[in-house]
Amino acid sequence: MNMQAMMKQAQKLQKDMMETQKKIDAMTFEGKSSLVTVVLNGKKELLSVNIDAESLDKEDIEMLQDMIMVAINDAMKQVDKVVEEKMGAYTKGMPGLF
């Protein structure tokens, strides 16, 4: 394979990776924990937090804080999974890029 063809292939790969990353960034991921639902985008930015206040006693604030943390971590794991699935095709043999 000549150098020009390799450069062209690398440019196409880079373009495909950028398009895939844009699609992931635009996706939303919902994490849940019994009383809490959070929504993140593919950039792992928190978009919303919903708390089922009807099921919550005022004494349960510490438990609620834990549930929020669990829900956010759940949504972040979903982002990581999609990034790994979609970007893995580009990073075969190159661990640690994403």
Side-chain angles (χ1 to χ4, degrees), residues 50-81:
N50 184 18
I51 300 168
D52 181 7
E54 294 176 10
S55 303
L56 182 67
D57 292 331
K58 293 187 189 258
E59 296 83 34
D60 293 334
I61 297 299
E62 189 173 318
M63 180 181 69
L64 178 62
Q65 292 169 336
D66 291 340
M67 288 181 183
I68 291 170
M69 184 174 59
V70 167
I72 290 171
N73 287 335
D74 179 42
M76 284 190 183
K77 286 177 186 174
Q78 292 177 44
V79 175
D80 289 341
K81 181 179 177 189

Side-chain angles (χ1 to χ4, degrees), residues 4-95:
Q4 188 175 18
M6 285 176 51
M7 290 298 292
K8 198 173 203 177
Q9 185 177 7
Q11 288 172 341
K12 182 186 180 324
L13 179 64
Q14 182 179 20
K15 181 182 176 210
D16 291 347
M17 286 175 65
M18 290 174 67
E19 288 175 8
T20 300
Q21 186 63 53
K22 282 182 185 179
K23 288 177 185 176
I24 292 170
D25 290 348
M27 295 172 74
T28 57
F29 300 85
E30 186 176 270
K32 293 185 179 186
S33 174
S34 57
L35 303 176
V36 179
T37 302
V38 298
V39 178
L40 302 176
N41 63 19
K43 297 177 186 178
K44 294 185 180 180
E45 296 169 334
L46 184 61
L47 301 177
S48 69
V49 176
N50 184 18
I51 300 168
D52 181 7
E54 294 176 10
S55 303
L56 182 67
D57 292 331
K58 293 187 189 258
E59 296 83 34
D60 293 334
I61 297 299
E62 189 173 318
M63 180 181 69
L64 178 62
Q65 292 169 336
D66 291 340
M67 288 181 183
I68 291 170
M69 184 174 59
V70 167
I72 290 171
N73 287 335
D74 179 42
M76 284 190 183
K77 286 177 186 174
Q78 292 177 44
V79 175
D80 289 341
K81 181 179 177 189
V82 169
V83 168
E84 184 178 324
E85 288 172 357
K86 294 191 179 283
M87 299 302 278
Y90 304 113
T91 62
K92 288 180 185 168
M94 297 181 282

